[in-house]
Amino acid sequence: MGAPRLLLLISLGVLCPPSASSTQDLSYVSEMFSQTPQRLSFFSWYGNVRLFQFQVPADTVLLRWLLQATRGKGSGCDDVEITVHFRYGAPPVINPLGYSFAPNTSVPFSFNQTMTFRNTMQSNLYLNISNPTPGDWFVAAHLPKDTEKIEIQGLTKSCTYIFQPELFVLREVDVPILQEDAPSLQVLESIKNPVRYKIHQELRIQLLRCTSNATGCPLKVSVGSFAQPDSPSHEVNCSKVSDCDIVLQSPPWEKWLTVIVEKLQGLNSSVSFQLAYNLSVCKPGSIGSRTFQSFLNLFSQNNSSLKDGQQTTPSTTVLLNEGPRSCLRRYPVIREDVDVVSVRFLPVTTPSVPVASQLPSVVLLDLSSETDNGGMLVVNLQLNKTGASSVNSTVVACLSPAAPVLNLNVTQKCSTAFSKGFSFNLSDGATSGTHNIPYPVTDRWYLSMQILCPGDDSTCQQQVSRVIVTAYLSPCLNDCGQYGECRLLRRNGYLYAACSCKAGWAGWSCTDDQNALSVAQQLIATLLLTLSNLMFVPTIVVAIYHLYFVEAAVYAYTMFFSTFYHACDQPGVTVMCIMDYDTLQFCDFFGSVVAIWVTILCMARLKKIYKYVLFMLGTLVIAMSMQLDRRGIWNMLGPCLFALILLVIVWTTRGVKRRHCYPPSWRRWVFFLLPGVALALTAISVYVFAETNANYFYTHSLWHIMVAASVAFLLPPRERSKKSWQWSQLLDCDYKICKDDREELYVVT
């Protein structure tokens, strides 16, 4: 919802004290709320959204949001747009990437604002909301779509975007309470100071005895508070109608309503008036002839059967004739808290609810706890054909928060005075209906059901159908399916759930398969990432041929764990884990760094005692650093730089002593070192700059191949003292070797 439409709903009026007969004096207080700034992320799923929760107190007349965003310095900081979503009662349900929702999902509305830096380091946005609904307000902010670039921690620097909302609240002290059938006399003098009242229950509001120097009654009366821009507005311009009254259908139950009376623009004279309202009270109809004790006995029997896992028997309750003031039949349910953001509603008597045509049957679903708006509300209705007659009738149902809809017919929309509901239509052609509501508003929800009969069909009017009601609140719909993971997110003690999708699946419940990978594609990706490690086999053969057995063992270790780590790391169904995932990941990262470490030290051709001491010492240090920060770039960069510096020092020292470039053979440089270095640099470039989530299967497989090939080229030839690959060269205690050593020692002496 853009700003121009929102500003039309803003009223900058202040309040009058409740006891005064005029509006000269004001009585209000102001408060400020702020929350810790958070770093924004580019959007790929709901976990990238930064959520803020504010508690708006009662009798608030004005909210002023101050949205502040700052960005870091550097060439990588672009002029991006920050999208900020607002919603009352529950976190905003957003879909910035345009993915499809699961079938039967009803998406609640939320409005948003955008912020742009425009060559500045800071961006501020003010947003005013007058007469807001008291309760929880949620603010969610995020950056545009994620580029899916895989960033190397510590190597690639990303721009930092910080967002912080602040809330200024202006509320009135001691708002006057309007009593039923007791007109309140007021004199409205200033056009800037409207009069506010609070009333309770169902009502019809009337403005009486309006007197002023102008023609007619130059007043405007509005009822209700602002929750969403698409909420129905209830206001009347008394100067254009003869009877200045407002009739509300299905107003909120057990809540206060705000009534605002203000003068029209351009009027300077005072206006006196009286405001009154009256109630249309009804009582629930009776369900069978039960005493209080019989109801407790029935509840006790039903509760024990639920514990024993048995199915309750259908009730034979009949609907009695209702009294003159009856307007509904209420059927109680049990609220069972299962887990975090997980609730089940169980009917007290039977799973099916009797529905007739005379009065609506109402079921209460209590979601008034603060922990009930962070999941998915699922309500399923199924028409029980066994209890239905052959009459062509339709069962109409409406699920609505705050108040039930008691006038169910073809023309009446499924909506209450201040909110839109979710409708069901059950008939012989469609015997079931489902609504999935993500992040339902914290409130008492009412399910109203009634039979609609064609014409004056007396047979239909005597009909009683049974509807099986299944209602529950779960963190995620179907646990995000086969290609998703339901994750609990936390913000300052507030818990909510969201789906993290994989294998190309997307959407709120991981049901959008537009970019999904098929099973064949998943299998190909798995084979690429695992079989590309077989390129280490030639490298192991070369190491053994040159008698580098320790290095060959390290390469075999790296190949083994890299293969099975990627087999376990797949996002789809082609997954095989031979051990714990965390263990496989550690061994893969650890083996990769150690393989590079021993290769560079082997190229330096140090004395055996120095080489193997550095082998062991470096391996221990690498294991420690991997435990501290497994994904840190210095885990690989630190050992590589140290080994390269040592390699340069050793080669330079030998070149100076020999007065010749080392290694001395040009063939070694042209056919081995330069191709090995080129392969290594290409692999690093692909790893750092080209890898994304979309091409990860191909680029990372190419990384495996290039690194293994570069090691095979960079390994130095065997030492000159070992002319051939013979078992005698592998033994340290051979008689001939010992004899030659003694002769060499004698000659030197």
Side-chain angles (χ1 to χ4, degrees), residues 73 178 382 416 589 606 661:
K73 301 179 180 179
L178 192 62
Q382 186 172 359
T416 60
F589 292 3
L606 300 172
C661 180

Side-chain angles (χ1 to χ4, degrees), residues 542-555:
V542 171
I544 294 177
Y545 178 76
H546 292 318
L547 305 180
Y548 297 122
F549 298 106
V550 175
E551 291 83 347
V554 173
Y555 302 150

Side-chain angles (χ1 to χ4, degrees), residues 65-288:
W65 302 93
L66 170 58
L67 310 178
Q68 305 175 81
T70 57
R71 67 174 183 178
K73 301 179 180 179
S75 58
C77 294
D78 301 326
D79 293 340
V80 300
E81 276 192 353
I82 298 176
T83 307
V84 187
H85 303 265
F86 300 85
R87 189 183 175 207
Y88 164 77
V93 180
I94 64 176
N95 187 22
L97 304 183
Y99 292 129
S100 61
F101 287 83
N104 303 318
T105 299
S106 304
V107 183
F109 180 80
S110 60
F111 62 97
N112 61 70
Q113 296 285 309
T114 57
M115 304 174 62
T116 307
F117 287 98
R118 296 181 181 178
N119 299 322
T120 59
M121 303 301 297
Q122 186 172 0
S123 177
N124 296 329
L125 177 65
Y126 292 91
L127 180 64
N128 295 341
I129 298 178
S130 65
N131 192 31
T133 303
D136 289 328
W137 282 76
F138 291 84
V139 179
H142 62 86
L143 296 174
K145 180 183 178 181
D146 189 4
T147 59
E148 297 187 348
K149 176 69 176 63
I150 299 178
E151 297 182 350
I152 310 301
Q153 182 178 338
L155 184 61
T156 56
K157 184 178 180 180
S158 58
C159 186
T160 302
Y161 299 90
I162 305 297
F163 177 79
Q164 181 182 21
E166 293 183 351
L167 179 62
F168 172 81
V169 174
L170 181 68
R171 64 184 182 89
E172 187 179 7
V173 179
D174 298 331
V175 178
I177 299 176
L178 192 62
Q179 302 295 332
E180 181 183 8
D181 296 330
S184 175
L185 178 63
Q186 290 284 344
V187 178
L188 192 60
E189 297 182 355
S190 174
I191 193 173
K192 296 182 179 180
N193 301 333
V195 182
R196 297 175 185 267
Y197 302 90
K198 291 197 301 186
I199 57 178
H200 197 231
Q201 292 289 347
E202 299 177 329
L203 75 158
R204 176 179 181 178
I205 303 169
Q206 293 178 304
L207 193 142
L208 308 171
R209 299 182 182 180
C210 177
T211 59
S212 66
N213 296 330
T215 304
C217 183
L219 296 178
K220 183 176 68 174
V221 181
S222 57
V223 183
S225 53
F226 177 88
Q228 298 289 354
D230 66 337
S231 300
S233 60
H234 299 277
E235 64 179 24
V236 58
N237 188 341
C238 298
S239 64
K240 297 181 179 181
V241 295
S242 57
D243 297 329
C244 191
D245 60 354
I246 299 177
V247 179
L248 297 182
Q249 298 292 336
S250 301
W253 286 13
E254 301 180 5
K255 289 186 178 181
W256 292 102
L257 291 180
T258 302
V259 181
I260 304 176
V261 181
E262 52 188 339
K263 292 168 57 176
L264 300 180
Q265 295 289 338
L267 183 65
N268 296 324
S269 61
S270 61
V271 181
S272 63
F273 62 92
Q274 288 184 349
L275 197 66
Y277 81 98
N278 55 69
L279 300 176
S280 299
V281 181
C282 66
K283 296 181 179 181
S286 58
I287 306 174

Side-chain angles (χ1 to χ4, degrees), residues 307-385:
K307 293 181 179 179
D308 298 336
Q310 300 175 358
Q311 182 69 25
T312 57
T313 58
S315 176
T316 59
T317 301
V318 295
L319 300 178
L320 301 182
N321 295 327
E322 310 303 335
R325 302 186 66 185
S326 299
C327 63
L328 60 92
R329 298 184 180 93
R330 186 176 63 181
Y331 293 86
V333 296
I334 305 172
R335 173 190 162 108
E336 180 182 2
D337 293 316
V338 181
D339 204 342
V340 179
V341 200
S342 184
V343 178
R344 287 191 301 178
F345 295 97
L346 305 173
V348 172
T349 55
T350 65
S352 61
V353 176
V355 180
S357 61
Q358 293 83 5
L359 297 179
S361 301
V362 178
V363 175
L364 170 64
L365 307 178
D366 191 355
L367 295 176
S368 57
S369 173
E370 294 182 356
T371 60
D372 293 339
N373 56 9
M376 177 78 71
L377 175 62
V378 179
V379 178
N380 174 266
L381 304 183
Q382 186 172 359
L383 183 62
N384 190 352
K385 289 185 177 181

Side-chain angles (χ1 to χ4, degrees), residues 68 74 84 134 142 167 249 302 323 327 393 406 439 472 502 552 604-605 621 633 706 744:
Q68 305 175 81
V84 187
H142 62 86
L167 179 62
Q249 298 292 336
N302 183 66
C327 63
S393 60
L406 301 180
Y439 296 166
Y472 60 90
K502 55 187 179 181
R605 283 188 177 275
V621 173
I633 185 59
M706 288 186 172
E744 184 180 356

